Amino acid sequence: MPRTLAILGLVCLVLGFLGQAFPVEVVDDRGKAILVPKEPERIVVAGIPLYAEILVDLGLSGRIVGVADSPDLPPELLQTPRVGPAFAPSLEAIIALAPDVVFGAWGEVRDRLESLGIPVVTGGGPEGWIQGIVDVFEVILLVGRTVGQEKEAQLLVGRLAQEIVAVEGILLDRARTTAAFLYLASPGAPPYAAGLGTPEHELLIRAGGENVFPFPGYAQISLEEVILRDPTVIFTDPAQVQNFFQSLILTELAAVKGGRVVGIPASWLVSTRVARALRKMAEALHPEVFGP
């Protein structure tokens, strides 16, 4: 599988990399070199929970002095001071915490922090968007280098890659199961479907599924279109699972009749829990392999 080879190639590359003493230079999502003058002791996560998860997994939760609001924060950080929502963190709240480095801020907040000499580190695609597993791995390595934990970050990437490749290996000779990743806000509302180029699609394919909505990006579709394509398995946010069973229009849908509407937290798809999400999706798509 090309995607599997890409992951293994990335792991082999990073395992050969030797750590450096501070100061270190990292490259952000803009391709801009960011100088981190000393090992950060006071860290603020102003972006998505991925950065906080990585730091916790690296054993550095004690260095996090502020974090953006999110229902998906690691439990170790529930009492950590908040700096506002990830999409609009408070510049004043961040500055008041006197951080050595800020992760995940972008736009005007990033510009203002940088003008004050505070290093801001953001990975992923444009404006920090995480578009798939390789992006997750690259952000793990970026965070590890920034905080002086390169070896630990490499080991974390290696472990996650191993878990992902193991699941894919089990499914190599299996026929694909038709599926969709849909977001249904209420039983009668038109849902949003995840298509090509989304983290949902990537994991669905890796888990042995065939996406019945192979268009680019996300799009709102009609309930009638869902019935027409009739996926065997539907993945959705856990809070929306019951919406499918309560819909008067979707009662004859294969996934509904078969009880195969499965909740997968969207945050898992772009987090250090990505291997867990893949395993859960593979189990739903191929119970004949993984068992009940």
Side-chain angles (χ1 to χ4, degrees):
M1 290 184 175
R3 290 179 297 273
T4 300
L5 293 176
I7 287 178
L8 289 175
L10 178 61
V11 173
C12 292
L13 175 65
V14 301
L15 288 178
F17 186 78
L18 297 176
Q20 289 180 258
F22 284 83
V24 299
E25 192 173 81
V26 297
V27 179
D28 70 7
D29 60 294
R30 301 166 293 182
K32 179 180 177 179
I34 305 297
L35 181 68
V36 184
K38 64 176 184 176
E39 186 169 351
E41 296 294 335
R42 297 181 60 81
I43 301 170
V44 169
V45 176
I48 60 175
L50 171 61
Y51 297 96
E53 289 176 352
I54 294 168
L55 291 164
V56 169
D57 288 349
L58 295 178
L60 300 179
S61 57
R63 296 193 196 179
I64 303 174
V65 296
V67 67
D69 282 321
S70 171
D72 302 308
L73 284 172
E76 294 88 343
L77 302 178
L78 294 181
Q79 303 304 316
T80 304
R82 301 296 197 264
V83 296
F87 59 86
S90 165
L91 178 68
E92 293 75 16
I94 295 171
I95 294 172
L97 293 169
D100 297 318
V101 69
V102 175
F103 285 108
W106 49 277
E108 183 179 352
V109 172
R110 173 164 59 182
D111 294 341
R112 294 284 300 280
L113 290 170
E114 289 182 331
S115 72
L116 295 172
I118 299 173
V120 180
V121 176
T122 302
E127 297 186 332
W129 289 108
I130 309 299
Q131 300 171 320
I133 291 173
V134 171
D135 277 353
V136 171
F137 286 179
E138 289 177 346
V139 172
I140 293 172
L141 298 173
L142 176 68
V143 171
R145 178 165 171 77
T146 301
V147 299
Q149 299 282 320
E150 289 177 294
K151 184 68 173 180
E152 292 79 1
Q154 291 164 7
L155 291 172
L156 176 56
V157 168
R159 175 175 61 78
L160 293 174
Q162 202 170 35
E163 293 174 10
I164 290 168
V165 171
V167 171
E168 290 185 302
I170 294 172
L171 299 173
L172 277 177
D173 298 323
R174 294 283 163 177
R176 293 189 174 274
T177 303
T178 60
F181 212 118
L182 303 174
Y183 295 100
L184 185 67
S186 66
Y192 281 87
L196 302 174
T198 66
E200 290 91 339
H201 175 81
E202 179 186 10
L203 286 188
L204 193 157
I205 297 301
R206 288 183 181 277
E210 176 188 344
N211 193 347
V212 299
F213 295 103
F215 46 67
Y218 300 93
Q220 191 171 39
I221 57 174
S222 66
L223 291 172
E224 289 73 19
E225 186 67 18
V226 178
I227 294 170
L228 179 64
R229 306 210 183 191
D230 198 20
T232 305
V233 179
I234 291 174
F235 299 104
T236 189
D237 184 272
Q240 298 180 1
V241 168
Q242 289 306 312
N243 290 342
F244 288 87
F245 294 105
Q246 293 169 2
S247 172
L248 299 178
I249 300 175
L250 300 179
T251 54
E252 295 302 310
L253 204 63
V256 172
K257 290 175 68 176
R260 301 179 74 179
V261 180
V262 181
I264 301 287
S267 62
W268 285 17
L269 310 181
V270 289
S271 79
T272 59
R273 301 168 188 161
V274 64
R276 191 189 312 177
L278 176 66
R279 175 81 184 203
K280 185 172 181 180
M281 292 175 70
E283 290 171 349
L285 290 165
H286 294 281
E288 76 283 0
V289 176
F290 294 94

